[in-house]
Amino acid sequence: MQFKKNKVVVNSFHYDLVKPESKVKNDLNVTMNRMNITHSNGELDKGEEGHYFEMKVPFEIVPQDSGIKATGQVSQLIQTIDYYGEANELDGGSLEEMTRPLIEKN
């Protein structure tokens, strides 16, 4: 499957000091929502090339013996080329390819 991807956006990021012996966490969640896109001129994009999806990855990470906890969310707008179905109908390989850049940013 082909995609048009926008830049990865950091929606939020925060870190706190924690005890160095805090429980290690590497919690990443991926959500995907179909989007309607309006251009700067006010026109609604009809999605003739394919549907738009917003991928979001909220995260909470506590590296081992680090003394810090990082939380936040990154997102990316992706247009699927010649795909007009729903997010839950995408195969695992396509989902992995779409989300990899977001997960690798964490």
Side-chain angles (χ1 to χ4, degrees):
M1 180 176 293
Q2 292 183 328
F3 312 103
K4 285 185 184 176
K5 297 181 178 187
N6 287 335
K7 293 180 182 177
V8 173
V9 175
V10 177
N11 302 106
S12 63
F13 178 80
H14 183 79
Y15 72 92
D16 290 302
L17 296 176
V18 295
K19 294 179 182 179
E21 63 274 5
S22 293
K23 182 180 177 187
V24 173
K25 281 189 176 182
N26 193 16
D27 296 340
L28 299 173
N29 298 300
V30 178
T31 61
M32 182 174 176
N33 296 303
R34 195 166 137 220
M35 303 293 291
N36 293 317
I37 303 300
T38 303
H39 295 287
S40 58
N41 63 5
E43 289 185 31
L44 182 65
D45 189 306
K46 296 177 183 168
E48 293 171 354
E49 290 185 71
H51 283 164
Y52 289 92
F53 293 94
E54 181 181 43
M55 310 294 290
K56 290 183 182 178
V57 178
F59 60 90
E60 181 177 2
I61 300 170
V62 180
Q64 185 173 3
D65 300 322
S66 67
I68 63 166
K69 172 176 78 170
T71 58
Q73 178 176 282
V74 294
S75 65
Q76 184 176 38
L77 183 65
I78 298 172
Q79 183 179 22
T80 55
I81 304 303
D82 295 328
Y83 178 77
Y84 304 95
E86 297 301 320
N88 62 354
E89 297 169 343
L90 285 164
D91 64 88
S94 295
L95 284 173
E96 182 179 337
E97 187 178 347
M98 292 170 77
T99 59
R100 182 173 304 278
L102 287 171
I103 294 171
E104 289 176 349
K105 291 284 182 186
N106 287 304

